[in-house]
Amino acid sequence: MRSDKYQRSKKRKRIRWSSIFLLLILLVGAMFIYAYMQYRSGVNQSEKGTEPKKQEYQFNGERDRNGLTNILLIGSDARGDEPSRSDTIMIASYNPDKESYKLTSIMRDTYVEIPGHGMNKINAALAFGGPELLRQTIKDNFDISLQYYSIVNFEGFVRLIDEAFPDGVKVDVEKKMSKGIGVTLEPGVQRLDGKHLLGYVRFRQDAVGDFGRVERQQSVLKEVGKEFASIQTLPKLPKLIGVVSPFVNTNMNTGDILYMGKGLISKENRDIETMRIPVEGLFENQRVSGAGAVLAIDLEANRQALQEFLAK
């Protein structure tokens, strides 16, 4: 009798756990279906009225020896199939052990040796040989391994901001800006939509030139990271990837992006450490025949500073 009750109880427990397991499978499946549908919705939304055409690039990415995931971020002003110099060069570094994020801006006028092309501004490497040559240039000069690349055109940036932040991104515009950016910005704290935010991070027609532009780019990316966290954007992430994907040329897959992005937007006040190359005091402004105004850097000192920044 007691044995029969025990067997019935054991059977009920097996049924209960089987039901829970089945429910978990259904929930996970539903989540994947939802994520995919959101991703496709974003892609379809961005592709309306556009004919995205992505050039295929070779990229011999390497894992960083310290376990970091380093991504070469390129903002390009390309028009059609024309070769283009990189408008923005950044290294985004993700440390999976610490779940920390770092962002390094390399100023486009930094004067370095480009493999096979001699000394030139670093932003010329993209036009000479695509992201692979830019990767080699950074590796040869700074001894930093880059595993992934991502080329983002300006339209993709605008669409991502407008989709993620319908009310705009909070920015303190420090002065009136209009020359060369296609919009007019008045000074003061305000929320900017994608088009005006793009103008803000591209402006460099003042006394500080590209130095101010790099500082604004880093400041905006940190603010965007905070606002992502504050509005708990994780459920929207698949759609946001879909919205921007037609305007991004990358060797990263959606899973890589979700894995690295979830930590950034799922915790409040996520801090992104930033750095600029060349480091203050470790370069000189020079004019070089054929290249124009360049930043002649103390290569060894800048290389060491960058490696220490990423390693700590």
Side-chain angles (χ1 to χ4, degrees), residues 180-198:
I181 59 175
V183 294
T184 298
L185 301 174
E186 299 294 338
V189 177
Q190 54 202 284
R191 300 194 75 86
L192 301 180
D193 63 11
K195 182 178 179 180
H196 288 81
L197 191 63
L198 176 64

Side-chain angles (χ1 to χ4, degrees), residues 214-241:
V214 166
E215 186 176 333
R216 282 189 289 275
Q217 287 174 351
Q218 292 186 343
S219 175
V220 163
L221 287 178
K222 293 176 76 169
E223 180 62 28
V224 166
K226 288 181 181 179
E227 296 208 15
F228 264 123
S230 67
I231 64 174
Q232 293 299 302
T233 320
L234 191 57
K236 296 176 64 176
L237 189 55
K239 184 175 183 181
L240 295 177
I241 294 172

Side-chain angles (χ1 to χ4, degrees), residues 59-222:
F59 192 80
N60 300 320
E62 302 172 343
R63 260 191 92 75
D64 179 80
R65 59 180 175 268
N66 296 315
L68 305 176
T69 299
N70 292 327
I71 308 162
L72 175 60
L73 301 179
I74 303 168
S76 175
D77 59 356
R79 298 292 186 271
D81 295 328
E82 297 176 8
S84 169
R85 294 194 174 207
S86 41
D87 188 74
T88 299
I89 303 171
M90 292 182 174
I91 300 172
S93 300
Y94 171 64
N95 186 323
D97 295 329
K98 300 179 180 178
E99 283 197 344
S100 61
Y101 301 82
K102 295 183 179 181
L103 189 68
T104 304
S105 296
I106 302 179
M107 297 188 68
R108 61 186 192 173
D109 290 342
T110 303
Y111 198 54
V112 294
E113 178 82 23
I114 298 177
H117 297 271
M119 295 294 293
N120 208 322
K121 296 179 181 180
I122 195 169
N123 73 332
L126 185 68
F128 291 155
E132 170 61 15
L133 183 58
L134 183 52
R135 182 197 69 79
Q136 292 177 32
T137 301
I138 292 172
K139 175 67 175 178
D140 287 2
N141 286 274
F142 301 104
D143 196 22
I144 299 298
S145 296
L146 299 162
Q147 186 173 0
Y148 300 107
Y149 77 89
S150 185
I151 305 175
V152 183
N153 76 17
F154 299 145
E155 180 65 19
F157 176 85
V158 170
R159 296 206 185 194
L160 176 64
I161 295 300
D162 287 343
E163 178 66 30
F165 309 107
D167 297 326
V169 175
K170 185 179 178 182
V171 173
D172 185 2
V173 180
E174 61 269 27
K175 66 188 75 174
K176 184 172 181 177
M177 302 176 182
S178 60
K179 187 176 180 180
I181 59 175
V183 294
T184 298
L185 301 174
E186 299 294 338
V189 177
Q190 54 202 284
R191 300 194 75 86
L192 301 180
D193 63 11
K195 182 178 179 180
H196 288 81
L197 191 63
L198 176 64
Y200 178 72
V201 298
R202 293 201 71 200
F203 180 75
R204 63 190 191 105
Q205 305 296 328
D206 60 6
V208 291
D210 212 31
F211 290 92
R213 188 178 72 113
V214 166
E215 186 176 333
R216 282 189 289 275
Q217 287 174 351
Q218 292 186 343
S219 175
V220 163
L221 287 178
K222 293 176 76 169

Side-chain angles (χ1 to χ4, degrees), residues 7 25 120 231 274:
Q7 291 297 331
I25 291 176
N120 208 322
I231 64 174
T274 59

